[in-house]
Amino acid sequence: MNIDVFLTQFQAKGLETCFHDRHINPQIYAGLNGVNWSLKDYEARGGYQALRKVLGIGSGTPMTQDEVIAVVKESGLRGRGGAGFPTGLKWSFMPRQFPGQKYLVCNSDEGEPGTCKDRDILQHNPHIVIEGMAIAAYAMSISVGYNYIHGEIFQTYERFEAAMDEARAAGYLGDRILGSDFNFQLHAAHGFGAYICGEETGLLESLEGKKGQPRFKPPFPASFGLYGKPTTINNTETFAAVPWIIRNGGQAYLECGKPNNGGTKIFSISGDVERPGNYEIPMGTPFAKLLELAGGVRGGRALKAVIPGGSSSPVIPAELMMSLTMDYDSIAKEGGSMLGSGAVIVMDDTRCMVKSLQRLSYFYQHESCGQCTPCREGTGWLWRMVDRIENGQGRPRDLDMLDSVAGNIMGRTICALGDAAAMPVRGMLKHFRHEFEHHITHKTCMVGAYV
Ligand SMILES: Cc1cc2nc3c(=O)[nH]c(=O)nc-3n(C[C@H](O)[C@H](O)[C@H](O)COP(=O)(O)O)c2cc1C
Ligand code: SF4
């Protein structure tokens, strides 16, 4: 089925993705309607003006690489892939004088359960990513880039290829871009759906045609990346934020959000809400407002808990969540969790936390690449223990053992998938231990999820 027809049907059912008027001051999703993805539409929205500004087209005064990086630093943009690392700082790590090939990589793997924002950007606004990547490449003196796109969204990969063809034909990609001395060749690659290929060094291995197993770090990609060359990797949404920043200035972007948390952020809200979908709102917006935009808890039920930043972020109980704002600092410092990729999973009072954790733990043991023992063995242990508690075969000592196994995984693995598997376990035990105890003692569930 044609993707546009499919999306129209999707919307007709009331299941919206990003085509609604409930964003707040959107920058990336502004004006999208599902069919206006092409170059002429993007240019009509002011597209490629930022690249022109950087290259000095029209003004005759190109920005220096240092100036571009300084604006991105000033903006307070933090990586949207999960860790929230400051983007301008990351760009400054690239050894620009390195004499050999350097690479720029866009991480569009988007495998974190609950996250569905990058595919909307690529499908409906692909040129914003191309423009952001071209600016990043200019700033870091890079001439070759790749966009690694999740394997299960092949139509999106084809859309991105079509957009790159348009950009090449118009002189926005390739040699001597817009008549300048700047060359940037961009290519797309697709994975095959493994979550671990979203981890940046697993992604690089996969891009090189090998099994997508993460590399030990250091060395970090800035010095030893794709094919062993200096490489900068950013998330799709991170690159998509860049054109607005260059056009409007770093300070303006920072002021859209809150200090240390600049700009807007796309939140993929799912679970027990009336209107699941992607919502672009300023950083620092209260969670209560986001919930309201999403139509509130489904059926008017009570909010029980929220997983605020994708499945690896520890769960936050309702009362605490309702007091938080949606930004890296509030969710981490006050909520004890992580903003992560911005996938907000809402749970109402019918949700059993044991059942929920059983599902999450299954995912992580399934996706472990198996390289390191604590993750390979530990994720299986976690899942088997939660599974037996859920099935009425839990033992009183299981809860301490769950905590101990989680603790033995954390910080002892090659990549952060181990931590990602352990953190939800610890979060659930911290806030909802009584539900696990009830399952063990009474062999039944204390909430009405199954009635
Ligand atoms: C198991 C695992 C999966 C990840 N998956 C993704 C992903 O799908 N997309 C992404 O951008 N970052 C993902 N990351 C984070 C990347 O390793 C990397 O930090 C990110 O792409 C950097 O981009 P940013 O600085 O723009 O956030 C993942 C990390 C881990 C440990
Ligand atoms: S932590 Fe897990 S997924 Fe990451 S490298 Fe080790 S075994 Fe592989």
Side-chain angles (χ1 to χ4, degrees), residues 79-82 90 107 109-111 195-196 198-200 233-235 238 416-417:
R80 305 307 197 214
K90 183 184 273 191
N107 188 342
D109 191 64
E110 197 171 53
Y195 173 61
I196 196 57
E199 195 281 339
E200 56 189 20
I233 307 178
N234 278 119
N235 170 256
T238 311
L417 187 140

Side-chain angles (χ1 to χ4, degrees), residues 115-371:
T115 316
C116 54
K117 62 187 178 69
D118 295 339
R119 64 199 66 187
D120 268 3
I121 301 174
L122 294 175
Q123 186 71 34
H124 306 303
N125 206 2
H127 285 283
I128 203 169
V129 180
I130 296 173
E131 187 180 13
M133 289 190 76
I135 293 167
Y138 173 85
M140 288 178 275
S141 218
I142 297 173
S143 60
V144 177
Y146 292 92
N147 187 6
Y148 185 93
I149 300 174
H150 196 85
E152 287 155 348
I153 49 171
F154 199 75
Q155 284 152 321
T156 304
Y157 168 82
E158 290 177 329
R159 170 64 55 83
F160 194 75
E161 286 277 10
M164 283 194 302
D165 284 345
E166 288 186 319
R168 286 187 196 109
Y172 294 123
L173 286 177
D175 289 338
R176 299 188 55 79
I177 290 175
L178 298 174
S180 70
D181 290 337
F182 170 52
N183 307 322
F184 182 52
Q185 312 291 342
L186 181 59
H187 310 280
H190 70 85
F192 289 90
Y195 173 61
I196 196 57
C197 290
E199 195 281 339
E200 56 189 20
T201 57
L203 185 156
L204 295 178
E205 290 284 299
S206 174
L207 203 48
E208 290 179 9
K210 301 181 209 147
K211 204 196 280 188
Q213 289 189 315
R215 298 174 184 168
F216 192 83
K217 288 174 276 188
F220 292 96
S223 54
F224 189 90
L226 188 62
Y227 304 114
K229 305 294 183 196
T231 301
T232 297
I233 307 178
N234 278 119
N235 170 256
T236 317
E237 186 186 352
T238 311
F239 284 122
V242 171
W244 195 99
I245 293 170
I246 298 296
R247 277 210 311 273
N248 299 279
Q251 188 60 28
Y253 188 80
L254 184 62
E255 285 168 8
C256 289
K258 66 183 243 193
N260 199 34
N261 297 263
T264 61
K265 169 90 191 80
I266 301 169
F267 293 98
S268 307
I269 186 159
S270 65
D272 300 318
V273 289
E274 290 287 347
R275 295 192 292 241
N278 285 317
Y279 291 79
E280 186 177 352
I281 56 175
M283 284 281 199
T285 302
F287 168 73
K289 180 67 186 173
L290 177 62
L291 186 60
E292 182 193 317
L293 294 172
V297 180
R298 191 159 47 202
R301 297 202 67 98
L303 178 68
K304 177 171 183 174
V306 174
I307 296 175
S311 61
S312 53
S313 60
V315 67
I316 301 179
E319 197 181 344
L320 177 57
M321 192 68 208
M322 291 301 278
S323 71
L324 302 179
T325 56
M326 298 306 290
D327 56 85
Y328 295 101
D329 293 341
S330 175
I331 299 293
K333 292 177 187 157
E334 296 158 46
S337 186
M338 297 183 322
L339 195 72
S341 58
V344 180
I345 304 170
V346 173
M347 299 186 206
D348 72 16
D349 58 354
T350 65
R351 295 290 161 188
C352 167
M353 291 313 195
V354 182
K355 179 85 179 159
S356 304
L357 186 60
Q358 178 201 32
R359 189 66 193 86
L360 292 178
S361 300
Y362 179 80
F363 172 80
Y364 286 106
Q365 65 89 27
H366 183 265
E367 296 295 332
S368 167
C369 85
Q371 272 193 105

